[in-house]
């Protein structure tokens, strides 16, 4: 219930909603982070929501710290992998491209197909941000050939269209 409420506030946006989500999540984490009542996955999920709240508020350093907590403390959960993506995306948002590329390349080398494709996709976004249009185009095409889920395919097609639009190749 707390996760649903916090997620709703995060999605709604705005300073008041972000503060409310932060308060809810911090309270939950303080009360339950050492408790045996909840498993690591539930704890990681709450910590990840807190990081996403900061990310959405463009408080990237704080978000990265919270993502790092998920990675370090809950290493063996699916949320830790999601947090690694979050770290890379906050670095990219701040135009710290070298470190973001390192993270995305590592994720693109994953044995898990979904992780590998998403890591590749973000490498393409990064190349596009850097102005490396040929590289971005190649990466987006390879993502589409990897049979991504519909959401990732839509995002890859959009980014590919952006590259072609920038080059005025319609």
């Amino acid at each position: 219930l707390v996760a649903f409420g916090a997620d709703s506030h995060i999605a709604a946006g705005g300073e008041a909603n972000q503060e409310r989500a932060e308060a809810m999540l911090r309270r939950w984490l303080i009360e339950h982070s050492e408790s045996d009542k909840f498993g690591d996955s539930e704890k990681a999920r709450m910590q990840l929501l807190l990081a996403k709240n900061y990310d959405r508020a463009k408080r990237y350093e704080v978000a990265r710290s919270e993502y790092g907590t998920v990675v370090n403390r809950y290493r063996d959960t699916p949320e830790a992998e999601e947090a690694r993506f979050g770290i890379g995306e906050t670095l990219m948002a701040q135009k710290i491209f070298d470190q973001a590329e390192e993270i995305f390349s590592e994720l693109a080398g994953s044995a898990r197909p979904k992780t590998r494709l998403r890591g590749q996709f973000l490498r393409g976004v990064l190349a596009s941000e850097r102005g490396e249009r040929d590289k971005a185009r190649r990466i987006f095409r390879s993502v589409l050939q990897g049979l991504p889920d519909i959401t990732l395919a839509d995002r890859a097609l959009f980014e590919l269209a952006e590259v072609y639009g920038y080059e005025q190749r319609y």
Side-chain angles (χ1 to χ4, degrees):
L1 186 59
V2 172
F4 174 78
D7 198 33
S8 297
H9 284 294
I10 293 168
E15 192 174 328
N17 282 318
Q18 290 166 349
E19 288 175 5
R20 180 70 179 131
E22 179 182 0
M24 292 169 65
L25 293 166
R26 285 266 177 229
R27 177 178 292 137
W28 191 94
L29 287 167
I30 289 168
E31 290 177 9
H32 301 291
S33 67
E34 301 300 322
S35 170
D36 292 335
K37 192 174 178 180
F38 297 96
D40 283 349
S41 189
E42 289 91 357
K43 294 173 189 177
R45 183 169 156 224
M46 295 300 201
Q47 193 81 45
L48 187 61
L49 274 172
L50 183 60
K52 287 181 178 183
N53 186 48
Y54 289 128
D55 194 348
R56 177 96 185 236
K58 298 183 184 199
R59 295 175 61 191
Y60 299 122
E61 291 85 6
V62 181
R64 228 179 352 265
S65 174
E66 297 297 337
Y67 284 132
T69 299
V70 175
V71 170
N72 294 328
R73 194 164 185 193
Y74 307 108
R75 185 176 320 276
D76 298 327
T77 64
E79 290 81 7
E81 184 175 279
E82 185 65 30
R84 292 194 37 78
F85 279 110
I87 291 169
E89 289 175 357
T90 60
L91 289 166
M92 186 168 54
Q94 289 185 295
K95 301 198 183 313
I96 306 172
F97 295 137
D98 292 339
Q99 291 178 24
E101 183 173 22
E102 187 178 309
I103 289 171
F104 296 147
S105 294
E106 192 175 305
L107 290 164
S110 172
R112 296 185 60 220
K114 283 182 129 178
T115 302
R116 185 174 51 249
L117 282 174
R118 187 172 169 200
Q120 277 294 95
F121 169 76
L122 288 168
R123 285 184 63 231
V125 172
L126 185 62
S128 183
E129 287 282 319
R130 285 181 158 173
E132 300 169 343
R133 308 281 181 233
D134 291 335
K135 181 178 179 180
R137 190 179 321 104
R138 281 192 309 273
I139 291 171
F140 293 136
R141 285 181 182 160
S142 75
V143 168
L144 291 169
Q145 289 173 351
L147 301 174
D149 63 32
I150 193 71
T151 304
L152 187 57
D154 286 346
R155 289 178 64 195
L157 283 170
F158 175 80
E159 291 291 337
L160 189 56
E162 288 284 314
V163 170
Y164 282 125
Y166 182 79
E167 296 172 341
Q168 296 183 355
R169 293 175 56 192
Y170 304 106

